[in-house]
Amino acid sequence: RNIFKVKKSSAEKSKKMEKEEKIFRETFMYDKEINVINTATAECSVPSKRRVDLPLTAGEQLDVIDVTEGNAVICRNSEGRYGYVLVEHLNFR
């Protein structure tokens, strides 16, 4: 029984990831290919102040997708959500 639940949840998760990517592309007007250029760990928990900011939980692993002007990078979390994260909140070790 559990095997079917796992398959269903992974299918649901990939569908959610696709939806998050679509929202990201529309919000950020991002038409480049999405490549992970680095990984980082959130140093502290930070709520998002704007819709385009990614809320962080301390210790969370993030994929760095793109570097922007200034001190922010575009990241993706394990749930597939995308957003800006300030470099000072990340640990690249």
Side-chain angles (χ1 to χ4, degrees), residues 40-92:
T41 306
E43 293 263 301
C44 54
S45 297
V46 181
S48 63
K49 293 177 175 64
R50 306 172 299 166
R51 186 170 178 241
V52 295
D53 294 332
L54 187 63
L56 300 178
T57 304
E60 179 179 25
Q61 290 287 325
L62 301 169
D63 294 331
V64 179
I65 305 300
D66 207 345
V67 180
T68 63
E69 298 288 321
N71 61 345
V73 290
I74 298 173
C75 292
R76 175 179 60 200
N77 67 11
S78 60
E79 296 171 8
R81 289 195 56 202
Y82 295 82
Y84 290 116
V85 178
L86 295 176
V87 175
E88 65 225 36
H89 297 309
L90 299 176
N91 184 350
F92 290 95

Side-chain angles (χ1 to χ4, degrees), residues 29-47:
M29 292 178 272
Y30 196 86
D31 57 0
K32 296 187 266 184
E33 188 175 338
I34 295 176
N35 291 318
V36 177
I37 56 174
N38 205 339
T39 55
T41 306
E43 293 263 301
C44 54
S45 297
V46 181

